[in-house]
Every structure is written in C-alpha cells, then in structure tokens.
Amino acid sequence: MMEALAKLSYLLAAVLFIYGLKRLSSPATARSGNWVASLGMAVAIIATLVFYTQVHWSYILIGAIIGSVVGALLARLVKMTAMPEMVALLNGFGGGASALVASAEFVKYLNAGGAIPLNFGVAIMLSVVVGSLTFSGSLVAFGKLRELITGRAVTYPLQKTLNALILLATLALVVWLVAEPANPVPFGVLAGLALILGVLVVIPIGGADMPVVISLLNSYSGIAAALTGFVINNEGLIISGALVGASGLILTNIMCKAMNRSLANVLFSAFGSEVQQIGPAGAAGDKAVRSLTHEDAATMMAYARQVVFAPGYGLAVAQAQHEVRELADMLQARGVTVKYAIHPVAGRMPGHMNVLLAEADVPYDQLYDMDQINPEFERTDVSVIIGANDVVNPAARTDTTSPLYGMPILDVDKSHHTIVLKRSMRPGFAGVENELFYNENNSMLFGDARDSFKKLIEEVKQLG
Ligand code: NAP
C-alpha cells in the first residue's frame, strides 16, 4: 500500500514537471510553469520523506533550512545578467550531489561485504563519472563567467590528445570497476579522473560560449541525477533527471543552431582564444556611415506607421529597457504600431531579451520571434537596432566567407529605414564587420543606448 502511494506521488510529480515544462515554452505562461514544476518537486520531496526516509528527520530539516536560505538569498541577490553563473553553480552542485549519493551507495555495498549487482555497478560508476565531471566543469564555467579565471579559451599543444587519453582511462576504469567493484582506491581514482576531465574540457572554451556549455552541463547534471535514481531505485529521481537531461540537450541544440555552430565547434574550436577581426577585407576602409541627431531619429519614429525595436546585447549593457518601454508607449499613444523583434541568441544567454523586456513590463503580445517578424520588415518604416550587431548582420545571408554565414538573422535591412544605436563602430561578439551600418537607408545614433533613449523621449515630447 505504502509502495503504491509512493509510486502514485512520483507519477503526480512527473505530470506536474511535464506540464510545468510545457508552460515554460512561452513568456506569458513561464512564471506559472515554474510554480507548477516547483509544486511537482515539493510532491516528490514529501513523498520521499514520508515513504522512504531512513535517517532522522532533524538531519534533513537542518539541510533543507540551510539550502533554502542560501538558495533564496542567491536568487534574490543575483543580477539578471549573472543568471548563467548561478545556473552553472546549481548544475555543479546537482552533479556533485549525484556523485556523492552514488559514492555513498558504493561504500554501503562494500561495507555489507556483498557483490554489487551488474546493473547497480554500471549506474554507480557512470553516476560518479558524469556527476563529478559536471561538478568540476560547472565550477570552471562559473569561474570564467565571474572572471575569477580568464574568460579566454585556454589552449596548449596536444590538448585534445590528452583529453582523449584521460577519457579512455576513465572508461577503462568504469569497465574494470563494474567487473571488480571491491576496489576502493581505483574508485577514488575514477572520481579524480572525472573531476580533472571536467576542468580540462571546459578550459579550452571561450567565456562567451559558456552559456551553451552551461546548458550542456545542465543536461549532464540531469543525466547524473537519473543515473543516481537507478542506483537508489527511485523513480522520482529517474524521471526528473531524464527531463532535465533531455531539456538541457534540446536547449543546447537550439542555441547551437541559432548561432550557426555545431556543438563540436563550440566544444573543440577554442572560439575566443584570440580576438577575431574577420570580415570582408577593407569593408569599412573606404565607406562612410551617416549618423543622425536625436531630433531627426525621434521625428522619423514619431511619424512612422510601424516601428520595430530589435534589441541585442547592448540593451543589457546599457540597461535601457525601461526607457525603451517608455518611448514605445509614447509612440503608441501617437498611433504608431510598435513591435519587438527577438532573435533567439540576442544577448549572452537564452531568453536574455525576453527577461530584460519583461522587467520593464513590455506586453508579451508585442514580442515577435524571428520567424514571425521577418516577413514584417518589408512593411516597417523604421527598425531601431538597440545594441544588436551579429543578429542583424546581412553577411549571414550573403558572405560565404563570414563566420556568421548561414546563421538566421533579423532581416532589419529590408525595412524602409534602419537606425542603429551603439557607442562606436566596434564589432559584436563574433568580431565581424557589419555591412548594415554602411547601407544607404541606415543611420547611426552613436552613444550609450540608455542615454540615447532618454534624449529620444525628450525629443518626442517636444513634438507634442
Ligand atoms: P553583439 O553582436 O555582441 O553586439 C552587441 C553590440 O552592442 C556591440 O556591437 C556593442 O557596440 C553594442 N553595445 C554594447 N554596449 C552598449 C551600450 N551601452 N549602448 C549601446 N550599444 C552597446 O550582440 P547581439 O547582436 O545581441 O548578438 C549576440 C551574439 O552573442 C551572437 O553572436 C551570439 O551568437 C552570441 N552568443 C549568444 C548567446 C545567447 O545565449 N544569447 C550565448 C553565447 C553567444 P559598441 O561597443 O560600439 O557600443
């Protein structure tokens, strides 16, 4: 009876997880999706405490209080732009916890003197490997994003060969320990090798690619949890781990596609080891850009029928989201249709633009995904590019030599006019020149995006 109730609770938790994940797919329902999934986790935890817990409640209570206080404080204090760092830490702790639980089971089997059944042996060894690798790799990713260590890709001769050898040694130890489990020293070596591997595979990846790596490590932390679920025979952990593993992989894939890079290229190409200055030779040399005044820009927008804002990383740097919203409201009050064009990898983390704009309470129905907004540009009077660069670079469509070639972009250049807000002619993340800036129908509005928007707001006010 108890067993059946426990399994029913896990089933309920799984349904809540999946429904919560479904709701996370749209900004309008994401908040409630988070609550639903959290409720699922609460059901799973309570079921485990009631039906399976063998240790004294006080231990669990103390752990839960410490963990909740630290977690709540971190979540409150962390800046939106530092979210990938926080996720990196959480992944790391998740992986570390899985490795510790699997190790504890290993010790328990050894102390009982009995042999470890084959299926448990496999699950224990793999859980230790994936969990330890996730732990150390996530800490390195955190260190890179926090700039505690260099964000540059760290490379050295024979790096890939060394990593491959350590991986082979790790796999060989797994096979040996599954066959001959009663060997605590090699077990320790296995965990140590996995920890080293986590560090070595993440250091050659540049800081700017870290969000993709973190998404992949997130998936690994789920896989480690699912494996631990097999170790301790817990369906709740298997299901939740598998869901995290699968969703992390899907997100990794979406990010790679939107950046027009393969996962292998992100992991092994040491992108960011040197400052890239690629682009059509002499593209900037002989061409002139035109810049316009805030007054002219405000007039163009105020008398337009449709204005599309295309935000990028510079919006996050300038923290101009509230001013953008204010100007949009003023334009709408004048009868201008305002839309926001959201590129999937604009900014430096998944959903970066959605999060920023949500902070300024921009209505969700004004946010348009790339596929929805691209057909609209031809009938858009003014597209305002706010600190975006790579995601609006037409070279992605036309220049086969560009590293951006093939990346889907926002077709802002098809609008009647474009206005680019940025501080200089410096390239964006990919280090590539942007032909858009030299187009006949483009004007640059140089300066910090927030300052520019403040001035634009004043100018539109003057227009009455
Ligand atoms: P971007 O290409 O990096 O360009 C950002 C632009 O913002 C820069 O050209 C910069 O020019 C400008 N800027 C910076 N601070 C500013 C300020 N205070 N005011 C106004 N402008 C400012 O950004 P993006 O177009 O958003 O493209 C994102 C890039 O990051 C893509 O290449 C993508 O593949 C990559 N990436 C994204 C993710 C993700 O998950 N979203 C993850 C990893 C990598 P100035 O310096 O001249 O001002």
Side-chain angles (χ1 to χ4, degrees):
M1 176 67 183
M2 293 294 251
E3 188 73 16
L5 273 179
K7 291 204 186 309
L8 260 182
S9 312
Y10 287 147
L11 187 65
L12 173 65
V15 170
L16 290 170
F17 291 151
I18 293 169
Y19 183 57
L21 270 178
K22 167 96 188 65
R23 292 187 74 79
L24 285 182
S25 59
S26 149
T29 52
R31 221 176 261 261
S32 64
N34 234 336
W35 278 111
V36 172
S38 310
L39 184 68
M41 192 44 91
V43 170
I45 291 174
I46 292 169
T48 309
L49 288 179
V50 172
F51 299 116
Y52 292 119
T53 307
Q54 291 155 2
V55 290
H56 198 276
W57 279 72
S58 54
Y59 288 109
I60 294 171
L61 202 66
I62 293 169
I65 290 173
I66 296 175
S68 304
V69 170
V70 173
L73 270 180
L74 278 179
R76 284 252 153 241
L77 294 179
V78 71
K79 280 196 191 144
M80 235 346 137
T81 42
M83 207 43 113
E85 291 165 29
M86 169 129 175
V87 176
L89 269 190
L90 295 179
N91 291 342
F93 291 151
S98 299
L100 285 177
V101 172
S103 305
E105 287 298 304
F106 176 78
V107 173
K108 219 155 92 182
Y109 273 113
L110 284 193
N111 288 346
I116 303 181
L118 183 70
N119 52 344
F120 284 103
V122 173
I124 287 176
M125 302 315 156
L126 290 182
S127 172
V128 167
V129 170
V130 182
S132 307
L133 185 152
T134 307
F135 175 69
S136 59
S138 299
L139 289 190
V140 175
F142 170 79
K144 284 201 173 214
L145 286 178
R146 267 263 121 161
E147 291 175 357
L148 300 175
I149 53 176
T150 174
R152 284 273 166 87
V154 177
T155 54
Y156 47 84
L158 296 179
Q159 189 169 31
K160 284 178 196 155
T161 315
L162 178 70
N163 288 357
L165 284 176
I166 297 180
L167 180 65
L168 274 180
T170 309
L171 292 178
L173 264 181
V174 167
V175 174
W176 184 42
L177 279 164
V178 168
E180 301 279 340
N183 279 306
V185 175
F187 183 80
V189 175
L190 177 73
L193 280 182
L195 285 171
I196 293 172
L197 200 59
V199 175
L200 294 186
V201 292
V202 178
I203 52 166
I205 304 172
D209 274 342
M210 273 311 126
V212 185
V213 176
I214 286 167
S215 165
L216 188 66
L217 288 169
N218 178 239
S219 167
Y220 287 177
S221 75
I223 294 170
L227 285 165
T228 309
F230 283 107
V231 174
I232 59 172
N233 231 336
N234 183 305
E235 290 88 352
L237 201 51
I238 296 173
I239 297 171
S240 54
L243 287 173
V244 173
S247 50
L249 266 189
I250 293 171
L251 178 59
T252 309
N253 191 31
I254 291 174
M255 289 170 80
C256 286
K257 271 200 179 145
M259 291 167 76
N260 196 32
R261 316 247 313 269
S262 66
L263 183 57
N265 179 277
V266 171
L267 296 182
F268 304 122
S269 75
F271 198 80
S273 52
E274 56 197 63
V275 178
Q276 309 218 346
Q277 274 300 349
I278 321 159
D286 40 6
K287 291 185 200 163
V289 293
R290 69 198 75 218
S291 59
L292 83 177
T293 62
H294 294 93
E295 188 184 351
D296 290 343
T299 310
M300 273 169 85
M301 291 184 221
Y303 292 102
R305 266 166 308 158
Q306 173 155 294
V307 170
V308 172
F309 288 134
Y313 177 60
L315 176 74
V317 179
Q319 288 292 301
Q321 59 274 26
H322 294 283
E323 287 73 14
V324 172
R325 159 87 206 265
E326 196 179 336
L327 182 66
D329 285 349
M330 291 170 74
L331 294 177
Q332 279 166 319
R334 299 176 62 92
V336 181
T337 304
V338 177
K339 295 179 176 170
Y340 295 81
I342 309 296
H343 190 284
V345 290
R348 291 290 184 275
M349 62 179 185
H352 205 166
M353 298 301 114
N354 299 73
V355 169
L356 282 176
L357 295 172
E359 216 178 279
D361 288 325
V362 171
Y364 298 128
D365 60 4
Q366 289 175 16
L367 307 189
Y368 288 75
D369 287 339
M370 184 168 57
D371 297 340
Q372 293 172 308
I373 199 76
N374 270 347
E376 294 256 348
F377 283 116
E378 277 169 12
R379 45 178 185 278
T380 298
D381 302 300
V382 189
S383 286
V384 184
I385 293 102
I386 314 163
N389 196 338
D390 295 343
V391 299
V392 293
N393 192 334
R397 287 197 311 257
T398 54
D399 180 2
T400 50
T401 62
S402 169
L404 292 175
Y405 185 69
M407 166 170 157
I409 55 157
L410 296 171
D411 295 331
V412 289
D413 55 327
K414 296 189 176 160
S415 336
H416 301 177
H417 296 280
T418 50
I419 301 175
V420 175
L421 281 83
K422 72 198 291 291
R423 297 163 306 178
S424 67
M425 290 302 287
R426 273 194 302 271
F429 169 74
V432 190
E433 277 289 344
N434 196 335
E435 283 284 307
L436 172 79
F437 303 161
Y438 307 98
N439 279 356
E440 288 259 302
N441 60 349
N442 178 63
S443 311
M444 307 294 293
L445 191 56
F446 287 114
D448 173 74
R450 189 171 179 199
D451 292 343
S452 291
F453 264 89
K454 281 185 181 159
K455 290 181 186 145
L456 288 169
I457 290 167
E458 286 313 311
E459 293 294 345
V460 173
K461 274 186 193 155
Q462 306 267 316
L463 292 174

